[in-house]
Amino acid sequence: MRQPGIIGRNTCVVEGTSDEWPGMDLVVKISWPPSSRVSENTFVEQIKAAVEAQEDAAWVLDHIPTILHSQDFHLQPDSPGSKLREYLSGPDVKFVDDKAFYYEHRVCRVSVHERLYRLDALKKREDYAQVIFDVFQVHRWIYDHPRIIHRDLSQGNIMWHKRRNRICGVLNDFDLSSSRDTIGASSKQRTGTRPFMAHELHRLGVNGKPPLTCTVMTSSHLLHHRSSCLCPHTPKGTQQRWLLSPRQ
């Protein structure tokens, strides 16, 4: 079963358990990304390596997904998918307007993750605020140190879990991420979640790596959206303040 989503990727996420990781709630992610796209697991491992190389950065590990296994499955040469790819890669295949058609080769990518929880599952406004604060911090650290651009901040990718009996915000889903040091596009399709993208990224003809200001703008859109949708209104004339915990 493939879920509707970004062109051709069709990510499907299902819950599961395994004797390999007893007592752990798991999810299995199945998708069909372009074969040229760097896997989410590779980016997470780069973040872990940057954490090991820097003192006082262990806090970051509480705020990134735990990927227990990741594997790519390539199409067999005699499979229907390979035959279709071969046909669509031919010089005579074009769009109806006679423009050249480019077919992106894809792989079946399967990964096993520790289960995370959505923002909707939080019951207290102070927990919601802490999760958002955590994700803002880890997003900036990942941008500065391993130099990774997340590129898909959205309400579905800000999640949480518990560590040491404490709720921790998690920046999830690095499927569309890229390195700040990589030149060129990582896909033929523009990616992101439009309602939360900075205005500059909606302009036609704008390409290149988004600066940090764009990701800050995205975070601002997301925060305003979630606050208006989820947080109950505070009675007029009252104020509520929470002491948020910096992780670094």
Side-chain angles (χ1 to χ4, degrees):
M1 175 179 175
R2 295 190 184 182
Q3 308 288 16
I6 293 175
I7 299 174
R9 194 160 62 97
N10 301 312
T11 301
C12 177
V13 180
V14 296
E15 297 179 10
T17 58
S18 172
D19 294 336
E20 187 76 17
W21 301 283
M24 183 179 293
D25 293 333
L26 307 173
V27 295
V28 180
K29 180 191 290 188
I30 307 167
S31 62
W32 292 84
S35 57
S36 59
R37 188 178 286 283
V38 179
S39 71
E40 177 180 22
N41 186 59
T42 299
F43 285 115
V44 170
E45 289 301 318
Q46 290 176 4
I47 295 170
K48 291 180 179 179
V51 168
E52 292 180 1
Q54 183 174 334
E55 295 183 4
D56 302 325
W59 63 273
V60 172
L61 300 179
D62 288 340
H63 307 287
I64 59 175
T66 301
I67 302 178
L68 304 169
H69 179 75
S70 180
Q71 186 171 352
D72 288 354
F73 297 89
H74 297 267
L75 296 174
Q76 297 298 318
D78 59 345
S79 67
S82 292
K83 297 297 183 183
L84 180 63
R85 180 181 66 187
E86 182 180 350
Y87 171 76
L88 293 176
S89 299
D92 297 329
V93 179
K94 296 182 179 181
F95 287 106
V96 291
D97 57 2
D98 208 38
K99 291 184 178 179
F101 178 83
Y102 176 82
Y103 179 82
E104 284 191 301
H105 295 187
R106 297 182 178 272
V107 297
C108 178
R109 183 165 290 160
V110 180
S111 54
V112 181
H113 303 235
E114 181 183 6
R115 184 183 176 184
L116 300 172
Y117 300 90
R118 297 176 58 88
L119 282 172
D120 300 1
L122 292 171
K123 303 301 183 184
K124 299 179 180 179
R125 286 180 289 182
E126 53 266 39
D127 290 338
Y128 166 81
Q130 183 66 62
V131 166
I132 295 290
F133 189 45
D134 289 347
V135 169
F136 283 5
Q137 289 184 93
V138 76
H139 183 275
R140 177 58 188 265
W141 190 93
I142 291 170
Y143 184 92
D144 287 339
H145 297 281
R147 297 177 61 81
I148 293 171
I149 308 173
H150 185 272
R151 296 180 69 231
D152 193 23
L153 274 176
S154 67
Q155 60 186 13
N157 290 336
I158 293 183
M159 307 188 78
W160 62 275
H161 58 192
K162 281 192 175 182
R163 288 290 185 266
R164 298 174 295 280
N165 203 32
R166 181 181 67 181
I167 289 177
C168 296
V170 177
L171 179 59
N172 193 40
D173 196 353
F174 287 82
D175 283 328
L176 303 181
S177 299
S178 61
S179 170
R180 291 173 58 191
D181 302 318
T182 300
I183 299 175
S186 57
S187 176
K188 293 296 180 181
Q189 281 83 35
R190 305 192 73 171
T191 53
T193 304
R194 291 185 68 88
F196 308 113
M197 293 169 64
H199 295 298
E200 292 85 348
L201 300 181
H202 288 287
R203 296 175 183 169
L204 294 176
V206 175
N207 289 296
K209 301 297 181 184
L212 183 60
T213 52
C214 286
T215 58
V216 171
M217 180 69 72
T218 295
S219 303
S220 175
H221 295 338
L222 177 62
L223 180 59
H224 284 290
H225 174 77
R226 296 302 294 176
S227 297
S228 63
C229 291
L230 292 181
C231 289
H233 294 291
T234 301
K236 187 176 181 180
T238 65
Q239 290 185 343
Q240 288 188 329
R241 296 182 179 180
W242 306 296
L243 183 61
L244 302 180
S245 302
R247 304 306 192 191
Q248 48 184 313

